[in-house]
Amino acid sequence: MLVELGHFALILAFFVAIVQTVVPLIGAQSGRRVLMDFAAPAALVQFVLVSFSFAALTYAFVLSDFSVKLVVENSHTLKPMLYKIAGVWGNHEGSMLLWILILALFGAAAAVYGGNLPSTLKARVIAIQGSIGVAFLAFTLFTSNPFTRLARPPMDGQDLNPLLQDPGLAFHPPFLYLGYVGLSMTFSFAVAALLEGRVDAAWGRWVRPWTLAAWVFLTIGIALGSWWAYYELGWGGFWFWDPVENASFMPWLFAAALLHSAIVVEKRETLKSWTILLAILAFGFSLIGTFLVRSGVITSVHAFANDPERGLFILMILGVFMGGALILFSLRAAAMEAKGVFALASRETALIINNILLAVAAFVVFIGTIWPLIAEAFWDRKLSVGPPFFDAAFTPFFTALAVILPIGAMMPWKRAKIGTALRKLLPSVILSVAILALIYVIQTGKSLLGPIGLSLGVWLVAGATQDILSKLGKTRDWSRLLRLPRADWGRLLAHGGLGITIAGIAGLTAWTIEDIRVMKIGESFEIAGYNLVLDNVSRKQGPNYITTMADISLFKDETKLATLHPEKRNYPVAQMPTTEAGIDSGFLRDVYVVIGDVQDGGGWAVRTYIKPLANWIWGGTIIMALGGLMSLTDRRYRVAAGARRAKRPLKGVPAE
C-alpha cells in the first residue's frame, strides 16, 4: 500500500510542478501578485510530495519488499542496512527519484529563503525550477517508474552491484547530485533575469550563494568518488578520465568560473553576458552528464542505464532547456550592457583570464570525452581517448590558472599595476622557486612534473596566505585579521586547498614506486626502505560475500608500523569479485598493497605501491570545500544587504 501511495504522490507532484511553472510565470508577466504568490506554496507542496515518494521507496528497500521490481534488482536480504538504503539510488530509477527530490529541495529552499528577492524575480526563479521538475518527473513517470510491481515476487533479490557496496559510493551520489542539481538554481536565476531583462549587482549577489553551495557539494562528491576509486578498485590511481568522471568534472569547472564571474557582476556590474552564459552552460553540462550516464552511449561502472530511448528523452530535455535559454540569451543580449570600466591591468582582467582558462579547460575535457562517440557515429571508427590526451591537453590550462590566481587576488579593482602585485608576492615567488630548485636537485633522472607541481602548490598556498596578510595594512595590525569577512578566509582555504591538491597529484603521479611479485607465507621483500612480510592468507565469510584476506606486516628500520589486510572478495549472488586494498596512510606517503589470485606454483600475486603525498589530494579537496562552506556563512552571501533598488512598480504590484 505504501508503495502505491509513493507512486501516487509522485504523480501529484508532477501536476503540482505544472502549476508551479505556469501560474507564477503568468503572474510575473501580467503583474498580478496573487498569481505570483502561487510559486512558494507550490514549491513546498512539491517537495513534501516527492519526499514522501522517496521515503516510500526507501521503506521498500529497508524491508526488502521483493514485490517491487527495483528492490529485486538492487537488493538482497543479507546485504548490510547501509547498502540497502544506498541501493535506493544505486540504480537508474531510484537515482532519478533522488535527482527530483534534490531539485524539489532547492525549489523549496528558494521559496523559504528568497524573501529578499523582488516578487517578479522570485516567482520566475521558482517557476523555472518547477519547469525542470516537470521535465524530470515526466521522464521518471513515463520511462523510469521506480514503483513497478512484480506479479510473482521472488524469495530474494539479485543484490546491488558489489562495486557500489562501499561507504564512499554510498555517499558519493547524493553529494554529486546536490552539486549537479544545485546548478539548476543558477540556471533558473539566469533565465529569470533574462525574462526580466535585468542583470545587476543585486542579481550577482543573489546568485552567488547558490553557485557556491553547488560548487561545494560537487567538490565533496568528486572527492568521494576519487577516494573510492583509489582504495576500492585496486589499481592505485585516483582519476582515470573516465567519461562519467569527466561528466562531473566539467560542471565543476564551469561552476568555479561562474563563481568568480558573479563576483565581477556584484562588485563592478560588468561581465553580465558572460556570467549569464556560464550559468546556462554549468547546468547544461550537468544535463550532458545525465545523458552520458543514462543513455547507453558509454560503458562505465558509473553508468546507470543502457537504454537509447531514455537517452533520447534526456536529449530532448537538454535541447529544450539549453536551446531555449540560449535563444533567450541571444534576444536579451542588448539588455546586459556592462556599466563598469576597467584597465587592462586590473582584478577584472585577471578574473576574465581565470574564467577563460576554466571554460577552455572544460571544453577540452568535453571534446576528449565525446570525440570517440562522434568518430563512431560519423566515421564508424573505434577510437579511445585516454589519460595521455587529457594530461597533455588539460594540464597547460590548469597550470596557467594556478600561476594567475594569486596575482589576480592581489590586484585592486578597476586599475592596477602588475609590478606592485608581484612585489607583494615576492616572498611567495622566492619560496616556490626555492622548492622547485630543491626538489629538482634532490631527485635524479626523473621528470620535472613533480618539482613543478609541488612548486605550483606552494605558490598557491603561499599566495593565498600573502593575500590575507596584505589585509594587515602598513601598521601590521594583526587584530584586523579577526575582523576580516568570512569570505576572505574562505578564499584563503579554497585557493590554498587547490594548491595542496595540485601538490598531491604531482607527487603521486611523478614519484609512485610499484612492485609486483608472487609471495608465499613467511616471505618478505623490500621496497623504498620498507620491508613487507606475508604472515598469513585466510578465507573468511562476510555479511554477503566470501573474502580471501592477507595479513601483511609493514616494517621500517626493524620497527613494525602496521599490519595491512588487503582482500579479494567474491559476492556469490552477483557472481562478481572486488578488490579491497590494504593501505597504511601517512602524511607524506601511503603504502598500498593489493592481494591477487593464488598462483599455480603456490603463493599469491601481491602488488605494492609507495604513493607519495597521496592524502594531500583529498586533504586539499576537504580544505577547498571548507573554504566554500566558510564563505557561505558570510552574512553578505546570505542576505543581499542593500541590494533592493527602487524600480517602477509593475501593474498591480506595490513598489519593492
Side-chain angles (χ1 to χ4, degrees), residues 111-248:
V112 173
Y113 298 108
N116 60 322
L117 298 174
S119 299
T120 53
L121 181 65
K122 179 180 178 180
R124 286 179 167 128
V125 166
I126 295 176
I128 294 159
Q129 195 73 6
S131 70
I132 302 171
V134 170
F136 279 97
L137 281 163
F139 173 75
T140 300
L141 289 169
F142 298 138
T143 74
S144 310
N145 181 14
F147 296 103
T148 301
R149 290 279 200 178
L150 293 175
R152 296 181 178 179
M155 293 297 295
D156 217 329
Q158 299 171 13
D159 208 357
L160 180 67
N161 184 337
L163 286 174
L164 304 181
Q165 295 186 40
D166 179 86
L169 257 289
F171 297 104
H172 163 68
F175 277 105
L176 206 60
Y177 284 11
L178 282 165
Y180 269 152
V181 184
L183 290 173
S184 67
M185 283 302 302
T186 65
F187 176 85
S188 297
F189 267 93
V191 175
L194 290 173
L195 290 173
E196 294 211 343
R198 178 188 177 201
V199 179
D200 54 14
W203 181 88
R205 177 163 293 185
W206 286 321
V207 81
R208 280 179 69 189
W210 300 103
T211 308
L212 187 56
W215 180 85
V216 167
F217 288 128
L218 266 177
T219 301
I220 297 172
I222 292 171
L224 283 172
S226 172
W227 180 54
W228 166 82
Y230 175 70
Y231 69 78
E232 174 69 20
L233 299 183
W235 62 301
F238 66 95
W239 194 263
F240 194 66
W241 296 106
D242 179 279
V244 183
E245 290 176 336
N246 297 344
S248 62

Side-chain angles (χ1 to χ4, degrees), residues 99-120:
W99 174 288
I100 294 167
L101 174 66
I102 295 173
L103 188 70
L105 170 65
F106 276 99
V112 173
Y113 298 108
N116 60 322
L117 298 174
S119 299
T120 53

Side-chain angles (χ1 to χ4, degrees), residues 363-408:
F363 278 114
V364 166
V365 176
F366 177 64
I367 291 169
T369 302
I370 68 164
W371 187 251
L373 306 179
I374 294 174
E376 185 175 359
F378 290 96
W379 299 291
D380 196 27
R381 293 181 60 189
K382 296 281 187 179
L383 295 179
S384 176
V385 178
F389 165 80
F390 290 105
D391 292 342
F394 176 83
T395 303
F397 295 106
F398 217 75
T399 300
L401 174 70
V403 171
I404 290 170
L405 266 180
I407 300 173

Side-chain angles (χ1 to χ4, degrees), residues 278-302:
L278 284 174
I280 295 170
L281 290 175
F283 182 59
F285 273 83
S286 293
L287 294 179
I288 289 172
T290 304
F291 170 73
L292 289 174
V293 173
R294 302 171 194 280
S295 62
V297 299
I298 57 138
T299 301
S300 168
V301 67
H302 307 79

